[in-house]
Amino acid sequence: MTIEERAGEILDRMARAAAKAGKTPGDILLVAVTKTRTVQEMLSAATFAGAIGENRVQEAEEKKKIWPSENAPDLPWRLIGHLQCNKVRKAMGLFDTVDSLDSSALAERLERIAGEMGHTLPVLIEVNTAQEMSKTGIDPKDFDSLLERVLNLPHLRLEGLMTIGPLTEDESSVRRAFAGLRDLALGARERSGLPLPVLSMGMSGDFEWAIQEGSTMVRIGSALFGPRNYK
Ligand SMILES: *Cc1c(COP(=O)(O)O)cnc(C)c1O
């Protein structure tokens, strides 16, 4: 199957899952996750996607050098992988959002550099809802204090939350993790009075369950491009 055919199929499955959840297809954004993919492959997917999701600063930098800004759809680039504090300045020049905000130290650093640049950076807080099965994201018990911190940083604009579901095919554990993120977002909306509309959850293996649990943004790599080959 071509990338175009796979994209069509994913959009169909997203639309069906959205309908089941009482939503319209426009309520859920497709982020094309492009780690290890060539710019050529990315361009094939770009017309179907609402954003590009990259994991690594270095990789995004190399791709942006050859990205044809004239002929490509003007999509936002979202950083979805862990960001080290020493790469913040470079990341801010490459990405439109940071979806993997997972510590106060990183929040402070992003705030300082966004302030210097006179820029307000949209962010998502990444939560580790899968607990022992995943290592990325902030522990749910530390979420409230990070939320408090981020809400007080004037150059960060919190738009919602992100999570990676547990790596299992057990539907109920996966859905429980996604429901957990949704509940954290509900609490955060109440505390902050902000809309915090984004719930970035769901990948190739679990995006339909995520949409059932309220996802507004799915991050799809292998179902769109085929299996990844890490060099
Ligand atoms: C790689 C990755 C994805 C996409 O994973 P697939 O299973 O290939 O769809 C989504 N989110 C994050 C944070 C990733 O690192």
Side-chain angles (χ1 to χ4, degrees), residues 33 35 55 80-81 162 164 203-205 219-223 228:
V33 174
K35 57 178 174 250
N55 287 68
I80 61 170
M162 163 184 162
I164 298 177
M203 319 199 318
S204 292
R219 308 179 309 269
I220 313 276
S222 41
R228 266 187 297 278

Side-chain angles (χ1 to χ4, degrees), residues 6-21:
R6 287 202 195 90
E9 226 168 61
I10 290 164
L11 291 173
D12 282 347
R13 287 170 60 192
M14 286 172 62
R16 280 197 294 273
K20 260 189 167 174

